Amino acid sequence: MKEFKILAPTAILGYGFPVESFKKGMDKSPDLIAVDAGSVDPGPYYLGAGKSFTDRTAVKRDLRFMLKAAKKQNIPVSIGSAGGAGGKEHLDWNVEIIEEILAEEKLDLKVVVINSQLDKSYLVDKLEKNDIVPLFPAKEINAEIIKESTNIVGQMGVEPFIKAIDMGADVIVAGRAYDPAVFAAHPIKLGYDSGLAMHMGKILECASIAASPGSGRDAMLGTLGEDYFILEPMNDQRSCTTDSVAAHSLYEKTNPFLLPGPGGTLNLKETTYQQLDDRRVKVKGSRFEPADEYTIKLEGAASVGKRTISIAGTRDPIMIKQIDDIIKEVELQVKDNFQDGNYEYTLNFHVYGKNGVMGALEPNLTPTSHELGLVIDVVAQTKEVADTICSFTRSTMLHYGYENRKATAGNLAFPYSPSDIYAGDVYQFTIQHLLKNIDPENLFDTRRLQDYKKGVE
Amino acid sequence: MSKINITELTTVIRSKNAGPYELTFDLIFKSEDIFEYVVKNNYITEELIAELYNIDKSKVISVVPYSPSKAIKATIVRPIAAGDIGETDVYGAQQHGPLLNIEIPWKGRDIS
């Protein structure tokens, strides 16, 4: 069986890569360039708001290299989780960047677009049929939550990619996708072992993070054979070691042996890692176990309001000693002042130097710092209410007469004027569920670029 | 038996989100010997994780040794979902601090 080589230029489209590493990868005559373009890790805002967490100019820079090189060597390009979160708006944004590059570089490439945003009425219907179940520890949802969520995406497996390959795609740009699927679909279509293809994809999706020293913005080459795959970083400064590669299997996962994904589980119990030379590692024994029932993961987010914050510091030891009591008292005064206003808001204090980083999980409850950083964080249904509560909290705290106070000119040091900053929309994750009883190939709308319509209905 | 701090025995101690509702901790040990010693004596347990983070044991999802990486992985339920109102660490990448305090019973073993 001829080896199948995949070049992963970068861990996230838009994170960049050294041109030298990319060229070295192309010199190895890869059969595919693939890239993961997203994640839910930056939080619910990006999925909910339909915005990318990557920069447009940076994404275009990376894609220009990839599309030009792919055309020159006549190999396909595969992009998954387009636009960061893979919603329709994210996909449109990424498609538009591709269109610009194709026009600017006069590239004639067949592009197939796969939309992963799912229709809400379809999902409500599925919920009623008990085909949507929580993925622990997410909670049960109802039709209301589906309707209120702005964007709901399904995490596709290899099937829609294979359909796109069959449609003759030179370039596949997919919405939310299981990270390894972007890499594994082409070789699986050619008959390579899906366990090895998926495991190789799982490592390549982070590009050179699995090397030592690791980096998300550097290229990695994966070479897939009949019963093995080999990993090699494209930057001479980096090496793959059995330690660096095996350690990567742990990353961001609940269980290092069993990695559940669309349609089955990647089983790494029998996986072995072998050092081939000082820079390459050979992996064997990874298995894909199809599930009895094909499921995919749904992700959704909904708006919860508008945020206004104020950032301040305190350097008074008498105040620092009583900071918890002062915060409690200020909260009460704010509540009292607006008790007739029927305002709905959430007021939080982030106290840096105390428990600003770990919050409820912080075991060390006594601050030892000579100064504390404070963020007054207000989320309300409207900007006006968020502004009002933040402003009033800030001024109340600034002049609050705590016990034994000596410094009567003001309790807070502000780095900015204006001191209050409107931070815009706030979203939360609403859906992290499994969708059952589906046709994995046809659930996602898959079209040639000329038939693809931008915009959200 | 005297004790040794976990940072002397590990190359990596990190925390990260595993999806929006879970936090996962990786402890990667310096050698197979050390890894096996810690695992065999069951020094890193669900009880220990619960105690370090002052959470109920039911919030500890798993503690799993993973020999290919000489690693022990622990996963807990996030106190709130990633990015919810009140969030302090969206990526969950700075929740490892309490793990750095773990002391492992140790007597005359070579650390290399």
Side-chain angles (χ1 to χ4, degrees):
Chain A
M1 202 171 202
K2 181 188 165 288
E3 287 180 331
F4 189 90
K5 293 183 202 160
I6 305 176
L7 180 64
T10 184
I12 301 260
L13 188 66
Y15 275 19
F17 44 79
V19 176
E20 205 54 38
S21 304
F22 182 74
K23 279 187 179 156
K24 196 179 162 203
M26 292 310 297
D27 288 344
K28 301 267 184 187
S29 302
D31 299 285
L32 169 71
I33 305 173
V35 68
D36 172 30
S39 172
V40 286
D41 228 25
Y45 173 80
Y46 301 96
L47 174 60
K51 303 259 170 64
S52 173
F53 65 90
T54 49
D55 178 75
R56 193 182 199 279
T57 304
V59 167
K60 194 169 174 182
R61 179 265 183 199
D62 289 359
L63 268 178
R64 191 187 301 274
F65 275 103
M66 292 165 60
L67 294 174
K68 280 171 74 175
K71 178 70 185 176
K72 198 172 158 196
Q73 291 181 215
N74 195 28
I75 58 169
V77 171
S78 191
I79 303 157
S81 299
K88 183 68 165 61
E89 288 168 275
H90 303 95
L91 188 59
D92 287 356
W93 180 85
N94 209 326
V95 164
E96 190 183 278
I97 295 170
I98 291 170
E99 286 175 325
E100 282 178 18
I101 297 168
L102 296 184
E104 286 163 16
E105 301 293 338
K106 298 186 173 55
L107 296 174
D108 178 24
L109 289 168
K110 267 178 254 159
V111 180
V112 173
V113 187
I114 311 170
N115 177 21
S116 64
Q117 180 144 341
L118 298 172
D119 186 60
K120 285 183 200 171
S121 56
Y122 164 77
L123 292 171
V124 169
D125 187 47
K126 292 295 275 180
L127 185 71
E128 279 163 8
K129 290 178 180 151
N130 294 320
D131 284 339
I132 297 179
V133 294
L135 197 53
F136 178 82
K139 296 182 182 71
E140 295 279 348
I141 53 166
N142 53 39
E144 212 54 43
I145 289 172
I146 290 176
K147 286 173 194 160
E148 282 169 4
S149 299
T150 47
N151 295 311
I152 305 171
V153 296
Q155 199 186 60
M156 68 183 79
V158 296
E159 294 78 8
F161 285 92
I162 290 171
K163 184 175 172 183
I165 297 167
D166 289 337
M167 288 164 73
D170 299 316
V171 178
I172 302 172
V173 51
R176 186 70 173 131
Y178 181 50
D179 298 346
V182 187
F183 300 84
H186 281 81
I188 287 173
K189 159 85 183 157
L190 293 171
Y192 287 84
D193 178 78
S194 42
L196 291 166
M198 285 289 198
H199 191 196
M200 187 168 94
K202 145 88 185 134
I203 295 166
L204 287 180
E205 66 103 347
C206 286
S208 274
I209 288 180
S212 177
S215 171
R217 61 172 310 275
D218 210 341
M220 179 89 99
L221 187 80
T223 301
L224 183 60
E226 193 171 353
D227 64 346
Y228 64 88
F229 65 89
I230 296 166
L231 296 160
E232 181 184 3
M234 290 295 96
N235 187 330
D236 292 339
Q237 313 279 314
R238 309 183 192 286
S239 299
C240 277
T241 67
T242 49
D243 275 4
S244 75
V245 173
H248 190 69
S249 304
L250 295 175
Y251 195 56
E252 299 180 323
K253 297 290 169 193
T254 312
N255 184 318
F257 292 108
L258 299 169
L259 310 179
T265 297
L266 182 56
N267 183 325
L268 304 183
K269 285 180 180 167
E270 307 292 325
T271 301
T272 59
Y273 302 88
Q274 180 199 352
Q275 196 74 44
L276 275 188
D277 52 38
D278 56 356
R279 299 193 54 250
R280 295 186 304 155
V281 164
K282 189 174 194 175
V283 183
K284 294 178 103 167
S286 313
R287 296 194 315 271
F288 183 75
E289 293 165 347
D292 295 337
E293 184 175 25
Y294 197 108
T295 59
I296 59 159
K297 188 171 78 168
L298 298 174
E299 295 166 351
S303 168
V304 287
K306 312 280 182 183
R307 169 173 279 138
T308 305
I309 63 169
S310 184
I311 300 170
T314 170
R315 175 61 182 81
D316 187 306
I318 305 167
M319 175 162 171
I320 288 173
K321 231 181 267 172
Q322 313 174 51
I323 191 69
D324 287 346
D325 294 336
I326 292 169
I327 286 173
K328 256 183 238 157
E329 186 53 38
V330 167
E331 281 173 337
L332 284 174
Q333 291 194 10
V334 173
K335 197 174 164 191
D336 177 69
N337 198 70
F338 294 105
Q339 59 179 322
D340 300 329
N342 284 325
Y343 290 158
E344 278 181 36
Y345 64 89
T346 311
L347 169 61
N348 276 303
F349 288 83
H350 294 275
V351 186
Y352 287 98
K354 187 168 177 292
N355 62 355
V357 173
M358 292 193 61
L361 288 179
E362 179 57 64
N364 181 2
L365 297 176
T366 316
T368 51
S369 175
H370 64 282
E371 62 180 36
L372 293 179
L374 294 171
V375 178
I376 298 166
D377 172 10
V378 182
V379 177
Q381 285 317 105
T382 65
K383 175 182 186 294
E384 288 67 31
V385 175
D387 285 349
T388 299
I389 300 300
C390 184
S391 167
F392 192 84
T393 306
R394 180 249 307 147
S395 59
T396 302
M397 192 149 202
L398 176 62
H399 299 294
Y400 177 66
Y402 55 85
E403 214 176 314
N404 297 324
R405 181 165 74 149
K406 305 289 176 208
T408 53
N411 303 324
L412 300 173
F414 296 103
Y416 306 122
S417 173
S419 59
D420 302 354
I421 304 161
Y422 176 61
D425 296 322
V426 184
Y427 288 83
Q428 72 176 178
F429 286 119
T430 46
I431 300 171
Q432 184 81 5
H433 287 62
L434 290 178
L435 179 65
K436 305 193 291 183
N437 287 318
I438 48 165
D439 169 2
E441 190 184 313
N442 295 311
L443 176 66
F444 303 96
D445 193 34
T446 304
R447 291 170 190 271
R448 292 182 183 83
L449 181 57
Q450 58 268 31
D451 303 323
Y452 177 74
K453 282 195 181 65
K454 292 202 199 91
V456 181
E457 281 158 28
Chain B
M1 203 187 307
S2 58
K3 291 191 169 184
I4 189 167
N5 184 267
I6 191 106
T7 56
E8 303 282 323
L9 304 177
T10 48
T11 54
V12 173
I13 296 181
R14 67 187 174 196
S15 68
K16 193 74 167 54
N17 290 345
Y21 300 97
E22 297 175 20
L23 274 175
T24 188
F25 306 108
D26 299 342
L27 300 124
I28 304 181
F29 293 89
K30 281 182 176 170
S31 70
E32 276 171 34
D33 273 1
I34 297 172
F35 166 73
E36 277 162 22
Y37 168 75
V38 173
V39 171
K40 201 167 65 190
N41 288 289
N42 206 21
Y43 288 133
I44 312 288
T45 58
E46 294 188 2
E47 287 78 8
L48 176 68
I49 299 296
E51 188 188 322
L52 287 171
Y53 286 86
N54 199 18
I55 53 175
D56 194 87
K57 206 187 134 198
S58 64
K59 301 282 182 197
V60 181
I61 295 170
S62 60
V63 174
V64 184
Y66 183 62
S67 58
S69 308
K70 307 186 283 279
I72 296 176
K73 191 171 190 51
T75 304
I76 67 170
V77 177
R78 252 179 165 274
I80 58 171
D84 263 11
I85 293 172
E87 174 65 281
T88 58
D89 185 1
V90 172
Y91 291 81
Q94 278 297 307
Q95 304 300 310
H96 61 289
L99 300 173
L100 302 173
N101 298 328
I102 296 173
E103 299 283 331
I104 300 288
W106 196 261
K107 195 181 168 189
R109 294 176 68 94
D110 183 28
I111 307 164
S112 55

